[in-house]
Structures are given as C-alpha cells and as structure tokens.
Amino acid sequence: MRVLSGIQPSGPLHIGNYFGALRQFLALERENDAYYFVADFHALTSVRDPRLLREYTHDVIVTMLALGLDPERATLFVQSDVPETTELAWLLSTVTPMGWLEKCVSYKDKVQQGLPAEHGLFAYPVLQAADILLYDADLVPVGQDQKQHLEITRDVAERFNHVYGGERGVFRLPKPSILETSAVVPGLDGRKMSKSYGNTIDIFDEPAVMRKKVKKIVTDSTPVEAPKNPETCPLFGLFSLFAAAEERALMDQRYRQGGVGYGEVKTRLAELMIAHFEPARQRRAELLANPDHVRAVRSSAAARARATARAVLDRARAACGVG
Ligand code: ADP
Ligand code: TRP
C-alpha cells in the first residue's frame, strides 16, 4: 500500500503528534511504500518568520529521523520541494464548492483563536487534498482532528473523477488511519494537546522540563484514599500511553480501589516518558551535529517524490485539458 502523511513545521513536535501521527508513521513504513513530508506550505498560514520556518522545517526532519524513520524505506521530503503540489491544488480548487470549505471545523477554530481569515487558511483543505492525491495514497495516518480533511479529500477526488475521469477515474480514493487508543492525546490542562493551546509536552523537552510540566498536569481534588475514575483523568490518559500493559492494568485497578495519589503517578509518568525518548534524544544530538546528512536525505527524497508527483499531475492535466 502507498501510505502518506504530513506534519506542519509550526513548532517543536509534541507528544500528541507522536502518539497521534508519528508512531503510526514508524509502524507503517515497514511494510508499505511510505511517503512522509514536512508541510511547510501549510505552515505559512501561521508562521510568518522565514528564519523560524526554515528552522522548524529542519527540526521536523531531524525529529522524524531521530525517532527512527528510515530514509531508505520511507521518502521523507519537504512539501515545497515538490512545486507540483500547488499546481494540483489549483486544479482541485476549480471543482471544490465553497460550502465544503465553509463547514470546516479547523478553519473556524483557527479564526476563533485569532488567526486572520485569509484565503490560504480557508483553502488549506484543498492544498491538503493535493498533497494526498498527488501520490496516489491509499492510507493516511493522522490524529482524529484530521478526519474532516480526509473526508473533503475524498469528496474532491470523487468530484474531479466524476467531472473528468471517464470510466477509470483520475485519482485514487484514500482512507484515513486513526488509532483509537491515541486519537486525542490530552494536554497539561486536559484539553487536546496542541501547540495553539500552549499545553504541550514536547518530544525533546529536556528531562528537567518534562518533570516540571508533568507536575502541572491538571488533576481534581480527590483525596489519596478515595477511589478515582481513570477514564476521565488526563493524567491517567498520558500514563497509559507510556506504561506497559501490565503496569497500566495495575494502575487502573489502584485508581478504582483508591489509595493512589496523583503525585506518585506523576513521578512515575515523568520517568517513563524520559526513558521512552532517551535513545531518540541521543540520535537527535548526532543529527543536529550533521546538518549535511539531513540535507542529503531531504534532496534525495525530493527527487523521488517529484517523480511520483509528476506522473499523477500529468494525468490530471491531461484529464482536464490543460497543457
Ligand atoms: P497541533 O494541534 O499541535 O498544531 P498539528 O495539527 O500540527 O498539531 O498535528 C500534526 C499531527 O499530529 C496530525 O496528524 C494530528 O492529528 C496529530 N495530533 C496533533 N495533536 C494531537 C493530539 N493531541 N492527539 C492526537 N493526535 C494529535
Ligand atoms: N493538516 C495536517 C495537520 O495539521 C498536516 C497535513 C498537511 C497533512 N497535508 C497533509 C496530513 C496530508 C496528512 C496528509 O496536521
């Protein structure tokens, strides 16, 4: 299967990105033809400092490599290295009804959070559809919040196929892959962990910072002896992502019985988290010391990605009669 996904370089990646998206990227690269990219065109809707955008873009590639993505297996590229993307986005936009974009929750959310209501933000899902359709993707691993964008991608593909596709269609219809257990990773305040809420624990936060942030995770005021409900506790939610099955089951039981204090859970969670990312932290230090290697990965991936993209774009151009 062709697997494809992207992540915006709009800041350091956090634990929500890891469990919602990156961990799936790692699992899926083994047995599939995987394409993963840094969505820098998309990030332009929120990052307006060119130096910072370049830095974040480099950092996302480093993070993916440090976590163990194998650039020999997966094509790890940068969106803007494939300019065919924006051309396809235009072709798709000509068959996308305004109403589909108007109902997008993420656009409405971002405007409500204070981002200006610009055309790029509004048309964001069309660019995302181009990202996906340009590589004939079958499966797109993402977190729950991207579900609507995947639906729009399918709708746009079907519409284009209907208008121009004839018998065989132009685009392959992709499916999302959303892991139930980590569809929405909670942040420090109990809401969805997200850069825009300032409630993240970053994958490469220093251990001391991780410990400090874990202490801040919101908990209620249930006393130590009282029984607690693990299902509604964001601290337990995070703990259960890092703990092995046995330890998780035991903690679940202790929550329900009473007798466990939140302080104890936090100390253990911080330990588990730091240990989990330790090997990646070391690889990251090596990669940061070797930017030429990272640049070489980027440019060879760009060549591979462009070759795939060109063929699909040509198919779309021919179907609609341009060129
Ligand atoms: P953010 O909300 O911090 O800006 P992005 O929108 O850049 O994060 O998300 C990148 C990827 O990580 C997407 O696939 C998204 O679904 C996933 N993701 C982000 N936050 C979470 C979360 N809290 N839980 C699960 N997945 C998440
Ligand atoms: N919109 C996605 C996010 O915010 C990033 C993204 C851009 C993406 N293009 C994509 C994800 C294509 C999957 C496939 O997380």
Side-chain angles (χ1 to χ4, degrees), residues 4-6 8 37 39 42 124 128 131-132 140 142 146:
L4 172 135
S5 192
Q8 290 191 71
F37 67 94
H42 278 109
Y124 183 113
Q128 183 161 348
D131 291 330
I132 298 170
V140 184
V142 283
Q146 294 299 310

Side-chain angles (χ1 to χ4, degrees), residues 7-8 14 16-17 20-21 142-146 182-185 192-195:
I7 287 219
Q8 290 191 71
H14 54 72
N17 300 138
V142 283
Q144 179 74 33
D145 57 356
Q146 294 299 310
S182 51
V184 183
V185 175
K192 179 199 127 161
M193 186 177 287
S194 170
K195 272 167 294 217

